[in-house]
Amino acid sequence: MHPAPVNPGSIELGVDNFAAIVLDPLTGKTLGAADQLNDLVEQIIVADQVGLDSFGIGEHHRPDSLDSAPTLILAAAATRTQHIRLTSAVTVLSADDPVRVFQQFATLDLLSRGRAEIVAGRGSSVEAYPLFGHDLHDYDSLFQEKLDLLLQLRDHTHLHWSGRHRAPLTGQGVYPRPVQVQLPIWLGVGGTPASFARAGTLGLPLMIAIIGGSFRQFRPLVDLYRQAGHEAGHDPATLRVGVHAFGYVADSTAQALNEFYPGYHRMMAERGRERGWRPPTREQFEATAGPGGAFLIGDAQTVAQKVLNLSDVLGGVSRVTFQMTNVLLTHERMQRAITLLGTEVAPRVRERLPL
């Protein structure tokens, strides 16, 4: 028997961005990297001003991305924002040192006065592993061991610890300590049942990357997460579920589809060539943006209703983050979409799900 779904109260809404290299849609020229990163910081500031709850920056080590050091981007925004929570999307923990990850996010927490969060995962691409000298055969053991260390660092300033993949800690102090008593750590997952069960057993909030298909197909995995948490004795209120999905808002649904599709197609076609996928078609894109699909793309009313529907389908969600990375969208259109998400979508969602 599964535990009852959780009523999450208010759904938090946020934006995620992978800092992909952007081409000017009119000229086809690549925009300067310095301009793009500064535009991204401005987008975080706009998200804060319009009342969104979170902004996440991914981590990739590719020639088409600028997010290899996400905490630096978040830190640049930390002192120019007031309320928005600043998070990774995700931190590729398997290829990093948990001590440095903790120190970086503790520093971000201090700069932001208590608004830092970590979404820890293994990453959807593997370029970080050889770059930092790791063996892909250790893919899962690296993550398990480093997650264990990160969680212990969160709770203990001085730690005695040993493992296979890192030199032991023999009581050294790990500084600085964050503002928050317990730095929030979400577990970022794709579609692997073992990852959902692990998050539940550990009692960690769950961030599900849903990049296609439908939200409904993830309900059994969310139930598995809640069941694992229940069996481990965790309070159901702590078993928070978040969803990360492609999303974009414009003044009309037709406009949103037309503006988002070209950059989406280009990015997915390029990634698809690397992984043996066929490029997406416009028909597939529109079907996934439709009522039964997993894209949150449309006008404000359409997107708000879809957020509410996905919460119902998954038995309650705590946070929905809109993956707005798009290699052919101008800075101005991104700012407009973020503004509509904060001023038009969020009030509709909050009205239906008050605190």
Side-chain angles (χ1 to χ4, degrees), residues 299-311:
D299 61 37
Q301 183 172 344
T302 298
V303 170
Q305 187 59 56
K306 201 161 184 182
V307 169
L308 295 169
N309 290 345
L310 87 84
S311 183

PDB file of all heavy atoms in Angstrom, residues 299-311:
ATOM      1  N   ASP A 299       0.471  30.393 -23.797  1.00  0.00           N
ATOM      2  CA  ASP A 299       0.126  31.647 -23.132  1.00  0.00           C
ATOM      3  C   ASP A 299       0.001  31.396 -21.631  1.00  0.00           C
ATOM      4  O   ASP A 299       0.046  30.255 -21.161  1.00  0.00           O
ATOM      5  CB  ASP A 299      -1.148  32.256 -23.721  1.00  0.00           C
ATOM      6  CG  ASP A 299      -2.374  31.355 -23.564  1.00  0.00           C
ATOM      7  OD1 ASP A 299      -2.512  30.678 -22.529  1.00  0.00           O
ATOM      8  OD2 ASP A 299      -3.205  31.324 -24.500  1.00  0.00           O
ATOM      9  N   ALA A 300      -0.172  32.464 -20.863  1.00  0.00           N
ATOM     10  CA  ALA A 300      -0.124  32.353 -19.405  1.00  0.00           C
ATOM     11  C   ALA A 300      -1.211  31.433 -18.865  1.00  0.00           C
ATOM     12  O   ALA A 300      -0.957  30.601 -17.980  1.00  0.00           O
ATOM     13  CB  ALA A 300      -0.233  33.739 -18.780  1.00  0.00           C
ATOM     14  N   GLN A 301      -2.422  31.559 -19.381  1.00  0.00           N
ATOM     15  CA  GLN A 301      -3.519  30.733 -18.871  1.00  0.00           C
ATOM     16  C   GLN A 301      -3.279  29.257 -19.170  1.00  0.00           C
ATOM     17  O   GLN A 301      -3.486  28.392 -18.314  1.00  0.00           O
ATOM     18  CB  GLN A 301      -4.846  31.183 -19.489  1.00  0.00           C
ATOM     19  CG  GLN A 301      -6.046  30.422 -18.961  1.00  0.00           C
ATOM     20  CD  GLN A 301      -7.364  31.007 -19.446  1.00  0.00           C
ATOM     21  OE1 GLN A 301      -7.408  32.140 -19.932  1.00  0.00           O
ATOM     22  NE2 GLN A 301      -8.441  30.256 -19.288  1.00  0.00           N
ATOM     23  N   THR A 302      -2.830  28.966 -20.393  1.00  0.00           N
ATOM     24  CA  THR A 302      -2.559  27.588 -20.789  1.00  0.00           C
ATOM     25  C   THR A 302      -1.463  26.976 -19.922  1.00  0.00           C
ATOM     26  O   THR A 302      -1.583  25.845 -19.438  1.00  0.00           O
ATOM     27  CB  THR A 302      -2.145  27.532 -22.269  1.00  0.00           C
ATOM     28  OG1 THR A 302      -3.227  28.005 -23.071  1.00  0.00           O
ATOM     29  CG2 THR A 302      -1.769  26.129 -22.688  1.00  0.00           C
ATOM     30  N   VAL A 303      -0.388  27.728 -19.712  1.00  0.00           N
ATOM     31  CA  VAL A 303       0.741  27.200 -18.944  1.00  0.00           C
ATOM     32  C   VAL A 303       0.356  27.027 -17.480  1.00  0.00           C
ATOM     33  O   VAL A 303       0.711  26.015 -16.849  1.00  0.00           O
ATOM     34  CB  VAL A 303       1.964  28.118 -19.106  1.00  0.00           C
ATOM     35  CG1 VAL A 303       3.072  27.725 -18.137  1.00  0.00           C
ATOM     36  CG2 VAL A 303       2.476  28.062 -20.546  1.00  0.00           C
ATOM     37  N   ALA A 304      -0.369  27.982 -16.912  1.00  0.00           N
ATOM     38  CA  ALA A 304      -0.787  27.854 -15.516  1.00  0.00           C
ATOM     39  C   ALA A 304      -1.645  26.611 -15.309  1.00  0.00           C
ATOM     40  O   ALA A 304      -1.468  25.867 -14.337  1.00  0.00           O
ATOM     41  CB  ALA A 304      -1.544  29.098 -15.079  1.00  0.00           C
ATOM     42  N   GLN A 305      -2.591  26.385 -16.225  1.00  0.00           N
ATOM     43  CA  GLN A 305      -3.444  25.202 -16.100  1.00  0.00           C
ATOM     44  C   GLN A 305      -2.635  23.922 -16.218  1.00  0.00           C
ATOM     45  O   GLN A 305      -2.885  22.940 -15.518  1.00  0.00           O
ATOM     46  CB  GLN A 305      -4.531  25.234 -17.175  1.00  0.00           C
ATOM     47  CG  GLN A 305      -5.573  24.109 -17.020  1.00  0.00           C
ATOM     48  CD  GLN A 305      -6.277  24.171 -15.680  1.00  0.00           C
ATOM     49  OE1 GLN A 305      -6.860  25.184 -15.317  1.00  0.00           O
ATOM     50  NE2 GLN A 305      -6.215  23.086 -14.918  1.00  0.00           N
ATOM     51  N   LYS A 306      -1.627  23.939 -17.075  1.00  0.00           N
ATOM     52  CA  LYS A 306      -0.809  22.739 -17.246  1.00  0.00           C
ATOM     53  C   LYS A 306       0.037  22.471 -16.003  1.00  0.00           C
ATOM     54  O   LYS A 306       0.262  21.316 -15.636  1.00  0.00           O
ATOM     55  CB  LYS A 306       0.067  22.873 -18.488  1.00  0.00           C
ATOM     56  CG  LYS A 306       0.537  21.526 -19.016  1.00  0.00           C
ATOM     57  CD  LYS A 306       1.001  21.594 -20.438  1.00  0.00           C
ATOM     58  CE  LYS A 306       1.357  20.201 -20.950  1.00  0.00           C
ATOM     59  NZ  LYS A 306       1.869  20.218 -22.328  1.00  0.00           N
ATOM     60  N   VAL A 307       0.523  23.510 -15.343  1.00  0.00           N
ATOM     61  CA  VAL A 307       1.256  23.330 -14.091  1.00  0.00           C
ATOM     62  C   VAL A 307       0.352  22.689 -13.042  1.00  0.00           C
ATOM     63  O   VAL A 307       0.750  21.756 -12.333  1.00  0.00           O
ATOM     64  CB  VAL A 307       1.805  24.675 -13.585  1.00  0.00           C
ATOM     65  CG1 VAL A 307       2.327  24.546 -12.147  1.00  0.00           C
ATOM     66  CG2 VAL A 307       2.915  25.187 -14.494  1.00  0.00           C
ATOM     67  N   LEU A 308      -0.874  23.180 -12.950  1.00  0.00           N
ATOM     68  CA  LEU A 308      -1.819  22.615 -11.990  1.00  0.00           C
ATOM     69  C   LEU A 308      -2.143  21.165 -12.330  1.00  0.00           C
ATOM     70  O   LEU A 308      -2.239  20.307 -11.446  1.00  0.00           O
ATOM     71  CB  LEU A 308      -3.090  23.460 -11.952  1.00  0.00           C
ATOM     72  CG  LEU A 308      -2.905  24.884 -11.427  1.00  0.00           C
ATOM     73  CD1 LEU A 308      -4.150  25.724 -11.688  1.00  0.00           C
ATOM     74  CD2 LEU A 308      -2.600  24.871  -9.930  1.00  0.00           C
ATOM     75  N   ASN A 309      -2.289  20.881 -13.623  1.00  0.00           N
ATOM     76  CA  ASN A 309      -2.577  19.509 -14.046  1.00  0.00           C
ATOM     77  C   ASN A 309      -1.429  18.565 -13.707  1.00  0.00           C
ATOM     78  O   ASN A 309      -1.647  17.438 -13.248  1.00  0.00           O
ATOM     79  CB  ASN A 309      -2.867  19.465 -15.548  1.00  0.00           C
ATOM     80  CG  ASN A 309      -4.183  20.117 -15.913  1.00  0.00           C
ATOM     81  OD1 ASN A 309      -5.022  20.374 -15.053  1.00  0.00           O
ATOM     82  ND2 ASN A 309      -4.362  20.415 -17.186  1.00  0.00           N
ATOM     83  N   LEU A 310      -0.196  19.016 -13.945  1.00  0.00           N
ATOM     84  CA  LEU A 310       0.941  18.129 -13.669  1.00  0.00           C
ATOM     85  C   LEU A 310       1.036  17.841 -12.174  1.00  0.00           C
ATOM     86  O   LEU A 310       1.414  16.736 -11.762  1.00  0.00           O
ATOM     87  CB  LEU A 310       2.238  18.703 -14.239  1.00  0.00           C
ATOM     88  CG  LEU A 310       3.095  19.689 -13.447  1.00  0.00           C
ATOM     89  CD1 LEU A 310       4.038  18.967 -12.481  1.00  0.00           C
ATOM     90  CD2 LEU A 310       3.929  20.552 -14.392  1.00  0.00           C
ATOM     91  N   SER A 311       0.673  18.827 -11.341  1.00  0.00           N
ATOM     92  CA  SER A 311       0.672  18.589  -9.906  1.00  0.00           C
ATOM     93  C   SER A 311      -0.362  17.531  -9.533  1.00  0.00           C
ATOM     94  O   SER A 311      -0.091  16.631  -8.726  1.00  0.00           O
ATOM     95  CB  SER A 311       0.402  19.890  -9.155  1.00  0.00           C
ATOM     96  OG  SER A 311       0.469  19.694  -7.753  1.00  0.00           O
TER      97      SER A 311
END
